[in-house]
Amino acid sequence: MKFVLILSLIALFLCSHLSLSFSIDPIEPSNLLPRPLILQYTSSIEEPSDSTLTQLRCDSWRFAVEANNLAPWRVVPTECGPYVRDYVTGLPYKFDLEMVARESLNHARTVEIKGDGMDAWIFDIDETLLSNLPYYTSHGYGLELFNAHEFDIWVEKAIAPAIESSLILYEEVRALGFKIFLLTGRSEGHNNVTIENLKRAGFLHWDKLILRGPNDKGKTATTYKSEKRREIEEEGYRIHGNSGDQWSDLLGYSVSSRSFKLPNPMYFIP
Amino acid sequence: MKFVLILSLIALFLCSHLSLSFSIDPIEPSNLLPRPLILQYTSSIEEPSDSTLTQLRCDSWRFAVEANNLAPWRVVPTECGPYVRDYVTGLPYKFDLEMVARESLNHARTVEIKGDGMDAWIFDIDETLLSNLPYYTSHGYGLELFNAHEFDIWVEKAIAPAIESSLILYEEVRALGFKIFLLTGRSEGHNNVTIENLKRAGFLHWDKLILRGPNDKGKTATTYKSEKRREIEEEGYRIHGNSGDQWSDLLGYSVSSRSFKLPNPMYFIP
């Protein structure tokens, strides 16, 4: 009985004093009542409108994307098309990009650069250094199924702009003394246009640009990039940072001591 | 000149036809003008209000938390206190929890259960199965520095409610035939109150409850949980799913074939 009393008092305190929008139900222990103790949201929360529901569902979908909770996905859910468009063309994407650049730089500054030229930072290219937003703008911001042929035509134009916060980070990381590895899922056939685009966008110096070779065909990005990171490690480099917009840039083996996930709700690469 | 013309036309098309809120600047290649091609947001975006800026910054902070971009953090940023309170006590947290439960169950259903009793799913406990929200409600929702003594008093009350979507997932995963491992950072001294709390909250059956023993003291959660997962694997189990609210529940070695990150903007465990 004493326990029931304490529980009741706690529940009373929580409900009355703190104006919670959830309740603990029930207030008696389950050996007295069969109903379990469950975190519940009371009906005091107003019934959300359809647009609020869409916003909530798309927010949750984006959280699931960025926390790597989703199975491979092919296109943005139809109802989230406008949501993704507003996100990537508005301030939220810009703020998210700036935050991850800031955290990356904070980490880079804590690394003790040994002076032997073996302290490395890896950058992915697309949606990490270069933005393909102009392409996706005319392809539904991820609502359309990826079209490799059309995307290749875009890539060969070599006019993808830099993500500004990434360009600043890139220069700072380089100035700190890191060796810069660019590790991209682009194929070696795109070597020249990639260099052309990088330079046009302001990325002027790097130590190694790694593209998919003939032996990398058919491999998942996770496998291909892990293999390349292992090779970098085997050459004696210490990988202190890895920046990418896909989890497949960051996970696998030979992972960096810190990885930085840039936002990307437009497409998924396994 | 032809290239300049094409670029100009593309830029014109993008700016006029698609009403973009960003522009590509400049439209000439960098060998003609020194300014690089950078993704920029035009001044056509209205200057956001202070409350919008706080919302944007806290949204970005929460994205960084959930994408594992932050260095170890001790407390919620002061300006994000109200934001985190509104998130965890409102619909967004509930929606995020339900989404991750749904994705987890979708994955669980794709697993071929071998019938040898060796298909396993791991659940963390706090903020994964049980909610300590009533405790954090009276401790600033993460604004206050973690107080191990006060938290222990709360844990020993054994009244943490179930996260409803996790309870449903838990029962479904169990019904599919998975062996259930509960892997918690709680210490063995809390074995009995943990069992009492789990049962009271409706978690009635599991196969093994693993708590921190004397040999696990001082280890990071990542190390402790990786060691325990390796032991589970060495016993012959196949770990198909792992649910936790901390990246330290999910990363390290002997990682599950799929991991599910539940949201938690209130605290960080390394």
Side-chain angles (χ1 to χ4, degrees):
Chain A
M1 274 315 288
K2 194 178 158 198
F3 192 63
V4 174
L5 187 68
I6 293 170
L7 274 181
S8 304
L9 283 174
I10 290 168
L12 206 66
F13 174 78
L14 289 174
C15 294
S16 63
H17 189 74
L18 295 161
S19 315
L20 283 184
S21 59
F22 61 88
S23 67
I24 296 174
D25 175 35
I27 53 170
E28 282 87 3
S30 61
N31 57 332
L32 298 183
L33 275 177
R35 289 194 302 161
L37 201 66
I38 290 181
L39 179 70
Q40 286 184 329
Y41 293 81
T42 65
S43 54
S44 71
I45 295 179
E46 275 176 46
E47 193 62 37
S49 66
D50 282 355
S51 67
T52 303
L53 277 176
T54 303
Q55 177 78 24
L56 282 164
R57 281 197 293 262
C58 297
D59 264 340
S60 286
W61 176 78
R62 191 164 69 83
F63 157 70
V65 166
E66 301 300 356
N68 201 23
N69 282 338
L70 295 187
W73 54 276
R74 288 154 57 97
V75 291
V76 169
T78 308
E79 72 165 345
C80 299
Y83 171 94
V84 169
R85 179 199 63 212
D86 292 349
Y87 171 77
V88 291
T89 61
L91 289 176
Y93 183 44
K94 178 177 153 71
F95 270 62
D96 285 353
L97 288 168
E98 287 173 354
M99 175 108 194
V100 66
R102 211 157 43 234
E103 285 297 319
S104 309
L105 185 56
N106 285 346
H107 170 61
R109 286 181 174 146
T110 67
V111 174
E112 193 201 338
I113 302 292
K114 287 264 170 62
D116 58 0
M118 301 309 272
D119 295 295
W121 197 288
I122 299 174
F123 288 96
D124 168 55
I125 293 181
D126 292 297
E127 267 54 70
T128 298
L129 298 183
L130 298 179
S131 170
N132 298 302
L133 203 43
Y135 173 82
Y136 284 98
T137 294
S138 45
H139 288 83
Y141 298 100
L143 275 180
E144 287 177 22
L145 202 56
F146 182 70
N147 183 321
H149 175 68
E150 290 210 14
F151 188 70
D152 278 356
I153 293 174
W154 157 258
V155 164
E156 285 157 18
K157 289 177 180 163
I159 55 167
I163 291 174
E164 191 168 9
S165 47
S166 295
L167 179 56
I168 296 167
L169 170 68
Y170 185 91
E171 287 304 333
E172 299 252 21
V173 164
R174 230 174 60 78
L176 285 169
F178 287 90
K179 294 287 178 185
I180 305 288
F181 288 81
L182 305 184
L183 178 48
T184 175
R186 292 183 177 200
S187 63
E188 283 178 359
H190 282 151
N191 181 62
N192 292 350
V193 289
T194 300
I195 292 174
E196 183 188 343
N197 198 151
L198 284 166
K199 290 195 179 286
R200 180 173 296 146
F203 300 95
L204 304 180
H205 311 281
W206 55 82
D207 295 282
K208 194 167 184 190
L209 168 62
I210 305 167
L211 306 99
R212 268 181 195 261
N215 294 335
D216 303 315
K217 272 197 180 165
K219 288 176 187 166
T220 63
T222 307
T223 301
Y224 155 65
K225 295 201 168 184
S226 292
E227 287 175 2
K228 295 300 171 184
R229 282 196 304 272
R230 177 160 290 172
E231 287 172 23
I232 293 168
E233 277 188 347
E234 283 171 356
E235 289 173 39
Y237 290 98
R238 298 173 292 274
I239 306 173
H240 297 287
N242 185 7
S243 303
D245 65 294
Q246 299 288 324
W247 281 102
S248 53
D249 296 328
L250 310 173
L251 297 179
Y253 50 86
S254 293
V255 297
S256 172
S257 48
R258 280 286 298 276
S259 292
F260 297 94
K261 169 76 178 71
L262 282 77
N264 185 357
M266 295 188 295
Y267 60 86
F268 174 87
I269 298 173
Chain B
M1 275 315 287
K2 194 179 158 197
F3 192 64
V4 175
L5 187 68
I6 293 169
L7 272 181
S8 303
L9 283 173
I10 290 167
L12 206 68
F13 174 78
L14 289 173
C15 293
S16 63
H17 189 75
L18 295 160
S19 316
L20 282 182
S21 58
F22 61 88
S23 67
I24 296 174
D25 178 33
I27 53 171
E28 282 88 5
S30 60
N31 57 333
L32 297 183
L33 274 177
R35 288 194 301 163
L37 200 66
I38 289 179
L39 178 70
Q40 285 183 330
Y41 292 82
T42 66
S43 53
S44 71
I45 294 179
E46 274 177 49
E47 191 63 36
S49 66
D50 282 356
S51 66
T52 305
L53 277 176
T54 303
Q55 176 79 23
L56 282 164
R57 282 196 293 261
C58 296
D59 264 340
S60 286
W61 176 80
R62 190 163 69 84
F63 157 69
V65 166
E66 301 300 356
N68 201 23
N69 283 338
L70 295 187
W73 54 277
R74 289 154 57 98
V75 291
V76 169
T78 309
E79 73 165 345
C80 300
Y83 171 95
V84 169
R85 178 200 62 213
D86 292 351
Y87 171 77
V88 292
T89 60
L91 289 177
Y93 183 45
K94 176 178 155 69
F95 270 62
D96 285 353
L97 288 169
E98 287 173 353
M99 174 107 192
V100 67
R102 209 156 47 232
E103 285 296 319
S104 309
L105 184 56
N106 285 345
H107 170 60
R109 286 181 175 146
T110 67
V111 174
E112 192 201 337
I113 302 291
K114 287 266 169 62
D116 59 359
M118 300 308 274
D119 294 295
W121 197 289
I122 299 175
F123 287 97
D124 168 55
I125 293 180
D126 292 295
E127 266 56 69
T128 299
L129 297 183
L130 298 179
S131 171
N132 297 304
L133 202 44
Y135 173 82
Y136 284 98
T137 295
S138 45
H139 289 83
Y141 297 101
L143 275 180
E144 288 177 22
L145 202 57
F146 182 71
N147 183 321
H149 175 69
E150 290 210 14
F151 188 70
D152 278 356
I153 293 173
W154 158 257
V155 164
E156 286 156 19
K157 288 176 181 164
I159 55 168
I163 292 173
E164 191 168 10
S165 46
S166 296
L167 180 56
I168 296 167
L169 170 68
Y170 183 92
E171 287 304 332
E172 300 251 22
V173 164
R174 230 175 60 79
L176 286 168
F178 287 91
K179 294 286 176 182
I180 305 288
F181 288 81
L182 306 184
L183 178 49
T184 174
R186 292 182 176 200
S187 64
E188 282 178 359
H190 282 150
N191 182 62
N192 291 351
V193 289
T194 300
I195 293 173
E196 183 187 342
N197 198 153
L198 284 166
K199 291 195 178 286
R200 180 173 295 148
F203 300 95
L204 305 180
H205 311 280
W206 54 82
D207 295 283
K208 194 167 183 190
L209 167 62
I210 305 168
L211 306 99
R212 268 182 195 261
N215 294 335
D216 303 315
K217 272 197 180 165
K219 289 176 187 166
T220 63
T222 308
T223 301
Y224 154 66
K225 294 200 169 187
S226 291
E227 286 176 1
K228 294 299 171 184
R229 281 196 305 271
R230 177 160 288 172
E231 287 173 24
I232 293 169
E233 277 188 346
E234 284 171 354
E235 289 173 40
Y237 290 99
R238 300 174 291 274
I239 306 174
H240 298 286
N242 185 7
S243 303
D245 64 296
Q246 299 288 323
W247 281 102
S248 53
D249 296 329
L250 310 173
L251 298 178
Y253 50 86
S254 294
V255 297
S256 172
S257 48
R258 280 285 300 275
S259 291
F260 297 93
K261 169 74 178 71
L262 282 76
N264 185 356
M266 295 189 293
Y267 61 85
F268 175 87
I269 297 172

